[in-house]
């Protein structure tokens, strides 16, 4: 499969800012991947995401050079109307992206804006509600929902537009641990069922390493590390760039250092991997 | 104040009146409004108010309409006093005072039983620009959010030693500043995020946006609309030709 997202030599500087928010950025993401973008706060993650769905340069001015290509067309040359149908964007705070008084109306919001005929809209709204398993909330008002439910409603509104690429900006930051891990399971399921590509900004890597194909680490507006989560997290540099190393990986690293590398084999990322490694040694 | 303002805020209801087409409800409220203007004696006004009270009871919103009445009674008392002072005519003054209550009740019945979704539909029917309708929609949508914000800010400032309930009037008003500033800042940030989310969901993309909901008048809606017109005509006719009026 081809690359759904290609960033080529991207530089962006906000107006009146002394330095670039994103510098010399190169990235290719093949269709159907789950890619995680990590890095310290203020490292340019949010800016980078906004260059992908076109808010930069269409809504925000600034110095822009290089190119971002989504599904074969340049973001600079595409209208927000076209981009909205290719790139879905789930913002950090679900509250501020729910506009309507009932869940189903809100899921339909993007489709209404595009002028989709009613019958088709109805079936796409129902499909999105079913995918996120929130059909029972269809008639609820936004203020009657929990944070996790709001997050699902907002994601349903994004998916109803059938984007090829979905961006999730710190989707678990307002969720409790259980709801957060449910969201990650959901993302993995949607990738399987729809073949959607996901780019996720996330600090809590513990949750995502099990499902992610690629981990990109940013620092100071630049890409500093890229690879499979295993390669990046077992490298020596990840910690230096402020990446939260998953607990399992830390345990393994500590064991390896204390016992001269004979403790447990392979790069371990998730509790289940650790469990089976330990079981294997016991036998 | 919160208790009184409840008379204008929609809450979900399942009575036959709640489920009517918003256009039928709007027509009915408009005609009740005009009828209150046509009533020329206290007796007629009592009839009109009695009808509205009966309708509220049927729509299971009598309690909330009573709140509206209690709320408007304050202003209507003022109208009464001013009228007595200037016209020195007790009957006319009572008429004007009750008319004010009746006018507010007639509109309040519409707002209590019509969901924001339906209000939006009515605004679209009047061909208001999409931006205006959307501004209204988001304003109503964020009322509960802003209320929650306000409570949180008040708690935060109180825990830092702000005493809201102390001092004279000037001091109390000044005490509101530490509440208002974070609230305004929050709202500005929120509106920026809303604008981004609107762009991301193609707001303004199509010249003619479509709507998920469809309002098609059913028989009962047309029936209620016709009944309102007939009742209105009856009331207007009897006010002018049947019930004798002795104006001083």
């Amino acid at each position: 499969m081809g690359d759904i997202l290609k960033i080529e030599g991207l530089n962006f500087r906000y107006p009146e800012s002394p330095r670039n928010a994103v510098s010399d950025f190169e990235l290719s993401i093949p269709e159907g991947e789950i890619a995680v973008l990590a890095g310290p706060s203020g490292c340019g993650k949010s800016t980078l995401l906004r260059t992908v769905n076109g808010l930069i340069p269409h809504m925000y001015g600034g110095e822009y050079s290089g190119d971002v290509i989504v599904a074969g067309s340049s973001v600079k040359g595409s209208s927000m109307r076209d981009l909205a149908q290719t790139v879905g964007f789930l913002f950090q705070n679900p509250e501020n992206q729910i506009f309507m008084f009932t869940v189903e109306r809100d899921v339909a919001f993007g489709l209404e804006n595009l002028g989709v005929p009613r019958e088709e809209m109805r079936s796409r709204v129902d499909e999105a509600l079913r995918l996120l398993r929130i059909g029972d909330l269809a008639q609820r008002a936004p203020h009657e929902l929990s944070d996790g439910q709001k997050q699902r409603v907002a994601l349903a509104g994004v998916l109803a537009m059938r984007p090829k690429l979905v961006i999730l900006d710190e989707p678990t930051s307002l969720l409790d641990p259980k709801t957060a891990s449910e969201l990650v399971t959901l993302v993995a399921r949607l990738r399987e069922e729809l073949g959607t590509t996901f780019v996720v900004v996330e600090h809590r890597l513990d949750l995502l390493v099990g499902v992610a194909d690629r981990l990109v680490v940013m620092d100071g507006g630049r890409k500093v590390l890229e690879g499979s989560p295993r390669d990046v997290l077992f490298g020596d540099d990840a910690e230096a760039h402020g990446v939260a190393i998953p607990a399992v990986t830390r345990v393994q690293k500590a064991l390896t250092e204390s016992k001269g590398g004979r403790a447990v084999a392979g790069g371990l990322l998730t509790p289940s991997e650790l469990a089976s490694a330990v079981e294997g040694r016991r036998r | 104040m919160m208790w009184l303002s409840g008379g204008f805020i929609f809450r979900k209801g399942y009575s036959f009146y709640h489920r009517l087409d918003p256009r039928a409800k709007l027509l009915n409220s408009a005609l009740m409004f005009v009828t209150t203007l046509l009533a020329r004696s206290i007796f007629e006004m009592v009839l009109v108010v009695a009808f509205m009270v009966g309708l509220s009871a049927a729509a299971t919103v009598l309690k909330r309409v009573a709140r509206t009445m209690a709320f408007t009674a304050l202003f209507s008392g003022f109208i009464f006093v001013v009228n007595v002072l200037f016209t020195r005519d007790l009957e006319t003054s009572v008429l004007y005072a009750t008319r004010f209550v009746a006018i507010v009740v007639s509109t309040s019945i519409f707002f209590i039983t019509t969901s924001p979704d339906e209000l939006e539909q009515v605004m679209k029917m009047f061909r208001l620009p999409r931006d205006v309708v959307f501004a209204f929609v988001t304003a109503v949508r964020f009322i509960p959010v802003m209320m929650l914000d306000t409570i949180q800010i008040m708690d935060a400032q109180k825990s830092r030693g702000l005493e809201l309930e102390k001092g004279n009037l000037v001091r109390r008003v000044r005490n509101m500043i530490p509440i208002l500033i974070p609230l305004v800042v929050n709202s500005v940030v929120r509106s920026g995020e809303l604008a981004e989310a609107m762009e991301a969901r193609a707001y303004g993309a199509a010249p003619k946006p479509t709507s998920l909901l469809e309002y098609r008048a059913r028989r009962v809606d047309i029936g209620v609309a016709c009944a309102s017109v007939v009742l209105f005509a009856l009331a207007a006719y009897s006010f002018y030709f049947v019930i004798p009026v002795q104006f001083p």
Side-chain angles (χ1 to χ4, degrees), chain A residues 50 59-60 80-81 84 91 95-99 101 105-106 109-110 112-113 115-116 118 139 142 144, chain B residues 12 116-117 120 130 134 137 141 190 193-194 196 198-203 206 209-214:
Chain A
R50 280 161 178 72
M59 190 171 159
Y60 296 102
M80 277 311 283
R81 179 200 163 104
F91 294 87
E95 187 82 78
N96 294 344
Q97 46 193 317
I98 299 178
F99 305 99
F101 308 109
R105 277 297 305 287
D106 192 75
F109 179 73
E112 291 187 350
N113 290 332
V116 173
R118 184 174 291 128
Q139 297 304 324
E144 297 169 335
Chain B
K12 269 182 197 161
D117 257 341
E120 184 199 344
R130 176 155 165 80
F134 191 71
V137 168
R141 148 80 180 93
R190 192 184 294 286
E193 290 183 13
L194 273 172
E196 284 194 330
M198 283 163 67
E199 285 288 337
R201 287 182 53 203
Y203 179 82
T210 42
S211 175
L212 180 70
L213 300 183
E214 187 184 23

Side-chain angles (χ1 to χ4, degrees), chain A residues 14 44-58 60 75 89 91-92 167 169, chain B residues 193 196:
Chain A
Y14 285 105
K45 297 187 298 282
S46 294
T47 306
L48 185 73
L49 297 183
R50 280 161 178 72
T51 63
V52 176
N53 85 329
L55 288 174
I56 297 172
H58 295 300
Y60 296 102
V75 166
F89 200 123
F91 294 87
Q92 201 169 353
I167 296 171
D169 191 0
Chain B
E193 290 183 13
E196 284 194 330

Side-chain angles (χ1 to χ4, degrees), chain A residues 140-218:
Chain A
R140 293 270 195 94
H143 63 264
E144 297 169 335
L145 304 175
S146 70
D147 285 337
Q149 288 171 331
K150 279 181 200 159
Q151 190 76 277
R152 276 168 186 252
V153 170
L155 188 54
V158 169
L159 291 179
M161 300 177 81
R162 296 195 179 149
K164 293 197 177 88
L165 171 66
V166 173
I167 296 171
L168 311 174
D169 191 0
E170 298 192 28
T172 68
S173 60
L174 295 170
L175 304 181
D176 60 68
K178 184 168 172 281
T179 324
S181 77
E182 280 169 8
L183 185 83
V184 172
T185 318
L186 176 72
V187 167
R189 180 163 64 80
L190 291 173
R191 188 257 301 259
E192 291 308 316
E193 287 180 25
L194 306 174
T196 313
T197 314
F198 285 90
V199 175
V200 190
V201 165
E202 185 58 67
H203 290 297
R204 292 148 92 170
L205 290 181
D206 287 81
L207 289 168
L208 274 159
V209 284
V211 298
D213 304 298
R214 185 184 299 265
L215 177 58
V216 180
V217 180
M218 267 182 99

